[in-house]
Amino acid sequence: MAEQVDASDCVSAFRSFFMAGFECSSQVRKDGLRLDLISSTAHDLHALADYRRCVDAGLLTIRDGLRWHRIERTPGRYRWNTWVPMLEAAEEAGAQVIWDVFHYGSPDWLGQSTGEFIDRYSAFAAEAVRVHREVTGKPPLICPLNEISFMAWAVEVGYFPFSGSKELGWFKRHLVKAAVAGMQAMRAVEPECRFVWAEPLIHVAPRDHSTTELERAEEFRMGQFEVYDMLLGNVLPELGGCSENIDLIGLNFYPHNQWYYDGPTIPMGHHEYRPMADMLVETYERFGKPIFLSETGCEGSGRPAWLHYVCDEVREAITRGVPIAGICLYPITAYPGWDNLRHAEVGLFSTIVADGERRRYEPLVDELSRQRRLFETFLQRG
């Protein structure tokens, strides 16, 4: 078991316990279409108003992202006009932003499987933290690479297009190597950088209790910890892992994050559905690092009930000694789905409507207010 930390070590990481996250994926789909969710949700045009909406709702800490493919259109030439206005908007709104340097999408000219990717990513990341200091006068909170585990899986199963090694696990190691190089480059420019992460929190159950099925399900389930083990240097130390690479462990958890091995999703309430509190305890006992829920949310009318469940489980985990720094509602606005651009009603706010505003989903507003009151009492008592 990893050496554990006191819960107070993570209290000052964020300005608010409840946070918001803007969908900022920018990958290229298999059919060649480039996604740009910051643009598709009009967040780029309404950043100041969006940040103010979040702050007004008590969500003072926000996850957002850079769009590398727009900033470095040609090698080594950076155009920061798509990001600097967002930095300025966050400052004006009084929002603290965790910036995803890489959220799946790299420039069209850069192959993600190449050694050049590591060099270019490192240079881009270092320049980004320099610009952040220049604009804000502050060191940044950074998520270097979003969901390395998911991206590696998406490449291996062909969900994301890829040309490179087909060796199982190779791309995950490649991304970890890039992340470590990027962190070193960022700290060389800005020693006060703080690094948080976002990796899926999952449970995989066997379809039956045969020895083979049990082993396969458990092997797949344990794969969720590989990235953090690499980043911390617990395995493959040649990749450059060390404890300083992680300030906070981020965990992304959604209703579909539990399933049978090579089978369907396990519904909440089923006997195979694992309590999230148990999953949080296991993660903390393994790594001994403070945790936050870097993404969680539900679609449609289930949003308030899902937040209710998540908050109950987080309180249970805290009671059992897990230092949890916050819960990020993600995505905070409705957005067009990755695969078919369908309208996905998620989060606290709608898409931009005719009057230029976003409508609030009042049932979730009410549940968020209730949970905030419960946590205020709970944390004071603790």
Side-chain angles (χ1 to χ4, degrees):
M1 185 174 70
E3 181 181 354
Q4 297 181 357
V5 300
D6 187 83
S8 61
D9 290 348
C10 67
V11 167
S12 62
F14 303 132
R15 291 183 187 169
S16 60
F17 187 81
F18 286 100
M19 299 173 275
F22 287 91
E23 169 63 278
C24 52
S25 301
S26 60
Q27 71 269 23
V28 176
R29 298 193 320 195
K30 285 191 298 185
D31 61 5
L33 177 68
R34 163 77 72 175
L35 298 183
D36 185 342
L37 272 295
I38 288 180
S39 175
S40 299
T41 58
H43 176 50
D44 53 345
L45 302 178
H46 298 269
L48 178 57
D50 283 343
Y51 294 150
R52 282 176 169 164
R53 290 184 188 98
C54 292
V55 169
D56 289 345
L59 308 172
L60 308 183
T61 299
I62 295 167
R63 278 192 69 197
D64 212 328
L66 285 72
R67 291 177 285 173
W68 186 8
H69 72 287
R70 288 189 172 224
I71 294 170
E72 192 176 3
R73 293 177 183 269
T74 56
R77 298 186 63 183
Y78 304 114
R79 299 171 58 186
W80 298 104
N81 60 313
T82 62
W83 188 43
V84 166
M86 298 176 74
L87 287 171
E88 294 171 339
E91 288 296 297
E92 184 173 342
Q96 174 194 43
V97 182
I98 302 166
W99 290 105
D100 286 15
V101 174
F102 177 72
H103 202 110
Y104 305 136
S106 55
D108 292 331
W109 51 266
L110 181 60
Q112 292 182 350
S113 64
T114 64
E116 184 185 12
F117 172 82
I118 295 175
D119 296 336
R120 291 294 184 182
Y121 166 74
S122 300
F124 169 70
E127 188 65 10
V129 298
R130 185 196 65 77
V131 171
H132 185 283
R133 169 64 80 171
E134 183 179 278
V135 173
T136 71
K138 304 169 187 173
L141 261 175
I142 294 290
C143 177
L145 274 80
N146 178 68
E147 284 196 327
I148 291 174
S149 296
F150 174 80
M151 187 171 181
W153 169 85
V155 161
E156 288 175 355
V157 301
Y159 182 55
F160 286 179
F162 183 74
S163 59
S165 173
K166 299 298 182 181
E167 177 193 346
L168 191 66
W170 177 86
F171 193 55
K172 184 182 289 186
R173 296 191 296 273
H174 179 67
L175 291 176
V176 168
K177 188 175 180 181
V180 170
M183 285 186 287
Q184 291 171 347
M186 285 185 273
R187 280 211 168 108
V189 173
E190 180 59 80
E192 296 181 58
C193 277
R194 298 191 71 181
F195 296 119
V196 306
W197 296 84
E199 289 292 314
L201 179 67
I202 66 169
H203 177 61
V204 181
R207 293 165 297 180
D208 58 60
H209 286 266
S210 65
T211 300
T212 299
E213 185 75 5
L214 285 166
E215 290 176 349
R216 287 175 175 171
E218 183 64 2
E219 181 182 10
F220 196 102
R221 189 186 75 83
M222 294 300 289
Q224 71 183 301
F225 300 126
E226 288 180 350
V227 167
Y228 284 133
D229 274 327
M230 293 177 192
L231 288 170
L232 291 169
N234 297 339
V235 298
L236 302 177
E238 64 272 18
L239 297 178
C242 65
S243 180
E244 290 71 27
N245 286 339
I246 298 178
D247 289 304
L248 278 100
I249 281 179
L251 300 173
N252 298 349
F253 188 68
Y254 293 100
H256 54 266
N257 278 37
Q258 301 199 36
W259 64 89
Y260 288 101
Y261 178 74
D262 201 23
T265 299
I266 303 171
M268 186 187 298
H270 191 279
H271 68 275
E272 291 281 14
Y273 193 90
R274 189 179 184 199
M276 189 184 73
D278 292 353
M279 301 163 74
L280 295 172
V281 169
E282 179 185 18
T283 303
Y284 179 57
E285 288 180 344
R286 184 180 183 93
F287 298 117
K289 290 276 188 177
I291 290 169
F292 79 112
L293 284 185
S294 41
E295 295 181 17
T296 195
C298 181
E299 191 168 351
S301 61
R303 283 172 276 181
W306 178 253
L307 182 62
H308 180 128
Y309 169 75
V310 165
C311 290
D312 278 354
E313 294 295 302
V314 166
R315 284 189 288 269
E316 171 64 17
I318 292 173
T319 299
R320 292 162 63 180
V322 181
I324 297 179
I327 300 171
C328 182
L329 281 63
Y330 192 101
I332 198 64
T333 70
Y335 73 101
W338 285 3
D339 298 329
N340 52 20
L341 304 181
R342 70 177 182 83
H343 182 69
E345 283 287 356
V346 298
L348 207 60
F349 304 114
S350 72
T351 53
I352 297 292
V353 294
D355 62 1
E357 294 295 321
R358 297 188 193 272
R359 299 290 181 254
R360 302 197 314 175
Y361 184 61
E362 292 301 332
L364 186 58
V365 172
D366 293 343
E367 182 62 24
L368 177 61
S369 296
R370 190 177 78 88
Q371 292 298 336
R372 183 178 287 111
R373 292 193 298 270
L374 288 172
F375 267 103
E376 286 173 356
T377 301
F378 173 78
L379 294 174
Q380 287 172 2
R381 187 172 63 238

